Every structure is written in C-alpha cells, then in structure tokens.
C-alpha cells in the first residue's frame, strides 16, 4: 500500500459592493496521488487498496446583499 499525497492550489477574490453587499469568488484545483479506497475481498474481508489518482477542480461563489437596511441573510 503506497502512501497518498494531496496537493491543492486555491485562489480567491473578495469585493465589497455598494449598500453593504459582498461578492466572494474562488477557484481551486487538487491533485491526489495514490488515492486509498476500501475494497471487499472474495473472502468477505475489507481491505484498503490504492485506487489510482484523482484530480478535483472547483469554483465557489457567494453573493450577500442586505434585504432591508441593517438586515443581512
């Protein structure tokens, strides 16, 4: 069983909008080598194994605007 390795890079941007609003944007990418997974063996025992490599890509966004003065959701 090889040990796994995870590398992640993330970047973001935050902007204050007029009237108390806020906009947040972010992007990320992760590379996972030697991903571990549990597998059911023919003997009905569960064994950890290396399942391969994975790449994760993502985008996050958040927009906050006040509905009425001094009320934020």
């Amino acid at each position: 069983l090889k040990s796994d390795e995870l590398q992640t890079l993330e970047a973001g941007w935050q902007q204050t909008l007029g009237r108390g609003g806020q906009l947040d944007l972010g992007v990320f990418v992760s590379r996972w080598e030697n991903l571990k997974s549990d597998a059911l063996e023919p003997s009905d025992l569960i064994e950890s194994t290396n399942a391969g490599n994975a790449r994760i890509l993502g985008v996050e966004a958040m927009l906050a605007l006040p509905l009425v003065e001094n009320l934020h959701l």
Side-chain angles (χ1 to χ4, degrees):
L1 190 63
K2 297 178 183 177
S3 45
D4 62 341
E5 183 177 325
L6 178 63
Q7 298 172 340
T8 300
L9 178 63
E10 183 174 351
W13 177 67
Q14 186 177 64
Q15 178 70 43
T16 300
L17 305 173
R19 299 184 183 164
Q22 183 173 325
L23 174 65
D24 296 341
L25 298 173
V27 296
F28 61 91
V29 59
S30 295
R31 189 177 76 190
W32 201 341
E33 296 180 359
N34 299 318
L35 177 71
K36 290 187 178 79
S37 179
D38 291 335
L40 185 61
E41 297 295 313
S43 63
D44 291 333
L45 295 176
I46 296 174
E47 181 177 283
S48 293
T49 185
N50 290 110
N53 299 326
R55 183 175 49 190
I56 303 165
L57 306 170
V59 176
E60 300 172 323
M62 190 274 300
L63 176 63
L65 297 171
L67 297 176
V68 295
E69 192 174 333
N70 298 324
L71 176 63
H72 294 270
L73 296 177

